[in-house]
Amino acid sequence: MTSSAEKWYQQVRQQTLALTEDLSAEDMVVQSMPDASPAKWHLAHTSWFFEHFILQPYFQNYQCFNHHYQYLFNSYYDTVGSRHARPQRGLLSRPPLSDIMQYRQHVDSHISILLRQQHPAITDLLTIGLHHEMQHQELLLTDILHLLSHNPLAPALLAAQSQPSLNAAAAVSMICFDGGMAEIGAEAGSFSYDCENPRHSVYLAPFKLAHRPVTNAEWQDFISDGGYQNPLLWLSDGWHYCQSANWQAPLYWRNLDQQWHSFGFSGNQPLLPSAPVCHISYYEADAYARWAGKRLPREQEWEYATNLTQPPLQQANFLEQHIWQPTACSSQPNMEKLFGDVWEWCQSPYSAYPGFKPAQGALAEYNGKFMANQFVLRGGSCVSARQQLRSSYRNFFHPQQRWQFSGIRLAEDQ
Amino acid sequence: MTSSAEKWYQQVRQQTLALTEDLSAEDMVVQSMPDASPAKWHLAHTSWFFEHFILQPYFQNYQCFNHHYQYLFNSYYDTVGSRHARPQRGLLSRPPLSDIMQYRQHVDSHISILLRQQHPAITDLLTIGLHHEMQHQELLLTDILHLLSHNPLAPALLAAQSQPSLNAAAAVSMICFDGGMAEIGAEAGSFSYDCENPRHSVYLAPFKLAHRPVTNAEWQDFISDGGYQNPLLWLSDGWHYCQSANWQAPLYWRNLDQQWHSFGFSGNQPLLPSAPVCHISYYEADAYARWAGKRLPREQEWEYATNLTQPPLQQANFLEQHIWQPTACSSQPNMEKLFGDVWEWCQSPYSAYPGFKPAQGALAEYNGKFMANQFVLRGGSCVSARQQLRSSYRNFFHPQQRWQFSGIRLAEDQ
Amino acid sequence: MTSSAEKWYQQVRQQTLALTEDLSAEDMVVQSMPDASPAKWHLAHTSWFFEHFILQPYFQNYQCFNHHYQYLFNSYYDTVGSRHARPQRGLLSRPPLSDIMQYRQHVDSHISILLRQQHPAITDLLTIGLHHEMQHQELLLTDILHLLSHNPLAPALLAAQSQPSLNAAAAVSMICFDGGMAEIGAEAGSFSYDCENPRHSVYLAPFKLAHRPVTNAEWQDFISDGGYQNPLLWLSDGWHYCQSANWQAPLYWRNLDQQWHSFGFSGNQPLLPSAPVCHISYYEADAYARWAGKRLPREQEWEYATNLTQPPLQQANFLEQHIWQPTACSSQPNMEKLFGDVWEWCQSPYSAYPGFKPAQGALAEYNGKFMANQFVLRGGSCVSARQQLRSSYRNFFHPQQRWQFSGIRLAEDQ
Amino acid sequence: MTSSAEKWYQQVRQQTLALTEDLSAEDMVVQSMPDASPAKWHLAHTSWFFEHFILQPYFQNYQCFNHHYQYLFNSYYDTVGSRHARPQRGLLSRPPLSDIMQYRQHVDSHISILLRQQHPAITDLLTIGLHHEMQHQELLLTDILHLLSHNPLAPALLAAQSQPSLNAAAAVSMICFDGGMAEIGAEAGSFSYDCENPRHSVYLAPFKLAHRPVTNAEWQDFISDGGYQNPLLWLSDGWHYCQSANWQAPLYWRNLDQQWHSFGFSGNQPLLPSAPVCHISYYEADAYARWAGKRLPREQEWEYATNLTQPPLQQANFLEQHIWQPTACSSQPNMEKLFGDVWEWCQSPYSAYPGFKPAQGALAEYNGKFMANQFVLRGGSCVSARQQLRSSYRNFFHPQQRWQFSGIRLAEDQ
């Protein structure tokens, strides 16, 4: 373990704190729904992760910052023991934010000492801990946005974009891929989660993939055409959900002064027609694809196409751009936005790859136990940390969930 | 309107703020259940009450502090217009506490000006506004206690009582009252709510009333005797509730190290056997009375007995004592604790008195619309402001609610 | 015990069976909601009542018809032991209806033997058993109507009334009563339930009572005036219920071909404007009274007025008339319909009278345990057996329940 | 269309009726849960299917038996129009069973006429209608069993098996399969559903498949080892479900006299240790596999292995055997019971095959709209009609559902 590890550690940890700069202690204690967590909880839980999996086993004579935190800030690791119920995370007005900030410093300073000791056993744990922290950076932002969206004051954390593109996006172009035998899953030599493994062969029939995601303008056509009122477009479970939740538009769309706006980190802003539609459920994505006479991509198709086209990860619209909303699509029909902007729902349920073995120990619970009732999303969003993305990365959510930056790219059979 | 009104106004408003001295902004934003409200909301709503009912109609050219507050901090006045949904009060991380504190000052300074103008129309409104504020002082405390009770850290706002009484309470003595025709309801000449009016005649059969409330020690006997397991002791609705909520003891009782404790403003403390049992529902009170071969008092019996015995209001254990928990009963069998310590559940559903007319205007909604499915409690508690109590005061809650400082005094027929 | 007892027994038991003449076994097995019971269950439960409370203790060497029935057909008597869960009564396709018919005969033949033995202990039990059976006659009809109301075929058990009155009802006349000290509760010398006792004194302020119930025509005015949309007319709990259940009219009203109909035992029929409105909840009754500038009567006022005016019980529209729907009000403003047609919601919560003592043994559970969250109704309906009605009779339901034949008579203070 | 079609039609339709021989009209009207339907509804709906899809379009001047039935007995075809809500199917005491029996005859006689006219267009529709009817034969039985299972009388439709095998099943043997490229999906030339198509290539890694399903004896080991108490064995959603539903054993297992029994068509019977475990959810199957250090098969593995081993369909334990419960496994470790006895949960979510196109018209809704949140089961059960089974047949249910005859066969990677 070298000082580059320490630098990386500091950078990631600092990036988390930077996300909270415009948030008050009040913003950070509230939980807006059982699926979301308070920002304070994210700050504490990510520290608990390092404390529990690295400091307690490897730091000699480590003194816990507070023995209650083991219970309070465990997320879902049954191996670790009992834990505070998820829907009650928002009741923790104590410990105060200031204690959590001290907790972070306590953990950081001990991790630094350990890194300087160049303890060989912790390299992998540190890596997963930082990737874990990056996942929570995204969740912290999506959870805060959800909270602010319930505030009648429509608070803004960012200034509105000054000059959004008014050019129309290029008409969608379906790009052909040959398929055949393909290698899917994480490549050796760099970090990946257990669920991206093992790398394995699949056979893919020829398919086409849209050169860009579906845009807000296209989604308005779906709405105008009665997409939310026509059961024939929907999965059976999706239609029930749509009706019981009275969905009429994506999660954060609002009709103000007879014009569609969307709520985001800049508050309520007029829709940008050429930007990818965002905050839709799998059910909506699936209904749209049926309406459009297309289908959602399989995750293997997405990964194969991405490996072939090699989109430039560095230029994608990720968290670090600090735009935090999807940007306009190009007026040229070149493959774009596979990485960043919006997560892309795949028709693939989140399942084990052939030969899948969960990680060992408590981390065995990291991914495998969620392999039911969820669908895979690919490519990362405008609030994903760039470093965590790669073509094999598998995100997953329940088909009714909408508060992530989730969008849609169409596919079809050849 | 004289300067004594202004002094009173300042005193009550200051007392509200004093209750929050040991609370953080984080404590004050969270809502622990739909029945409870955040402390910040209580601070804002009580100010809104003065702004809406006094400043807007009577202060010339009054400028609202923030026009959103009309919507955010209306509690339940349909006459006033739409309002923020009650279960979502805890999502208001914005406006921040500091804004609410400024809002209070803004309202206070304008009320002061108005009071110095000696505007005749506002006397009654000021009085009801201050009584309203005192009601919310109690609710603020009960709501904060409920929040803290969900915190695994069991936070304490007060130091533990240093020397609680260890004397046993006197065995309960049933005191006889003759009954006959009695005048019930508010006496003219001082403030009362519409629901305490009109003063009217009732005929009361002879009855007996216990000289003190049921104690924690007696409640332990009820538990030991299987009181929570025997359906024959319970009302039908109560038994269903008891089973579905898995009640085994009063709300804040906890069995720690094989000993009953109760959670209160001093955190988890061993039960004081001679103090009144507290935080019980109507259903539990009713079951206890049946177990004891007695019954709950009617509210008219309670009021008649209180008017006859004239307990000294000034010496009762109210909010101002700053004990904020019920204190030990005396070892002498004299009538005690009719006022203060714990609200006493009556067998009387909350209903209109003969000839009842709701107050005019928006305040018509203050009491009348709650006259279904609730039971009356009498006498005030250790977190009630002394000034709001009187023998005719009618508090009311649903029979399953337990987070108020609610207890029980037994009665029986002669 | 004489042969008149046996005759009475046979008459009541026979009347129950007569109610099922037009019902199939299929009609009689289904349970349409947790509040309702299958007709087959009513037939069995009423027989169980005689078996459990009379035959088992008093018939020497009595052989149970089927020992499972003790469990299956106990309604709510915790003293008796565990029982089949109420919401699952509709799952009992077995035992078949034919077995239940045999069960009735088995019980009847043994009761006959016992009656001929002139066993002195059973007189009171027989009386309560028959009154209990009459209560279930009404419930059987209201439960069947509820079931049929869910059938898109709108089945009719009775032919439509051939010539319903088209005369308008007399405008409502408010009749004055002096009040003062009054004796309330059951008179000695004839059957009454424990909850009607003891007879006791109350003081009543002067009041007025409408000469007839509110009619369908008047209820249409309430609807037209936005009664179901105006929260200011409603109790707080009632308004929540009204909105969540989306009430727009009484339970069985249906707008067919732009005209209000109501579903009843004759299927869907045009509303009879001059008949009492029926199948309304307490919440609706209360809202109507507020809209009309009146109030609901107290149960003591109703009983006092009925005792004074002595309406002829024999001529009232009860079950035996076999009309089974409310009939038109007179065009003359004389006090009418205090008995029969519709139960009249009172503003009185169902509570214990002063000095109330529950019956002994298992029958202690008959009434007392329901004394929370329910309101009293008086006077009986067009599906009540005449013999069970008297001026002191107290019926009770939860304020949101609508499937009984419940209506409203207005009152006001003088 | 020849007389063989007519013979087939009559045979299938007759087989449906035969299933109801021991059921009363009361048994056939009740709905025991929203997932299940009354037997009467199954009888009507399968007839509606022929009437709506064949008679109405192809029978000249066809007179509907009853125009209400279009609404009452449509299951889920949104294309067809609105329909009676599924959870209210059990409220249809009318039309009576006798009408439904006439409806079946009406449809049957008209279909016969049409078949004799040898109308070419109806061949495919008749085939799907009969396969549809066979699916409902199985559902009728599973729904009736569910209803009877709620009856405290534990009714039996069949006599108990006289001499159940007492031999132990052979220890499980994991049989190796090479995998590689494989053709999956329906073969041309015989009936298949749209979701079994198109036949397509997949690449399968080498795997092993157990020679027989998991037995009751093995499941008891899982229970004894705390399988239902250990969250580490369960999927996250599964564990929540297990706890909220308080699962302790398969759906119909009952501990009577300290011995495990299972409820089935012969009532409560002692478990047969060597028979396949039945009535388990996907969550339980998955937890068991994890406990056993194995996994569930993929549906493609199951199909590939079945195609290779060619188990004799004719000898499998299907509906026609009239045993209606899983039978003992052999004491020899040869591949067995791939067909019949119990449906085998696969780890494969129910998804579209590459190139999937839904059937045209209303039948487009037959399968495709259920492709979310469900898992595939393969092989048929002891209550499946033999004719509908084939190696490509895909059944599907939600992972928490247990009332089907669902079991488990283990797999693992090589």
Side-chain angles (χ1 to χ4, degrees), chain C residues 50-68:
Chain C
F50 287 107
E51 184 178 58
H52 179 75
F53 291 112
I54 298 184
L55 294 179
Q56 289 189 337
Y58 298 109
F59 194 105
Q60 218 167 1
N61 300 320
Y62 177 71
Q63 300 296 314
C64 263
F65 180 76
N66 183 321
H67 69 281
H68 289 294

Side-chain angles (χ1 to χ4, degrees), chain A residues 234-295:
Chain A
W234 293 72
L235 288 166
S236 180
D237 287 359
W239 180 244
H240 288 133
Y241 208 96
C242 174
Q243 292 206 293
S244 69
N246 194 25
W247 286 344
Q248 305 282 349
L251 177 58
Y252 293 136
W253 285 29
R254 294 158 183 199
N255 209 321
L256 306 174
D257 304 326
Q258 264 117 42
Q259 198 194 343
W260 280 118
H261 291 63
S262 78
F263 179 77
F265 288 107
S266 307
N268 290 321
Q269 296 293 335
L271 274 189
L272 182 55
S274 57
V277 68
C278 193
H279 299 298
I280 56 168
S281 64
Y282 177 85
Y283 292 133
E284 287 163 290
D286 172 86
Y288 181 92
R290 196 166 291 112
W291 174 78
K294 303 278 191 292
R295 62 169 173 83

Side-chain angles (χ1 to χ4, degrees), chain D residues 194 357-364:
Chain D
D194 54 2
K357 297 276 179 239
Q360 292 302 299
L363 291 171

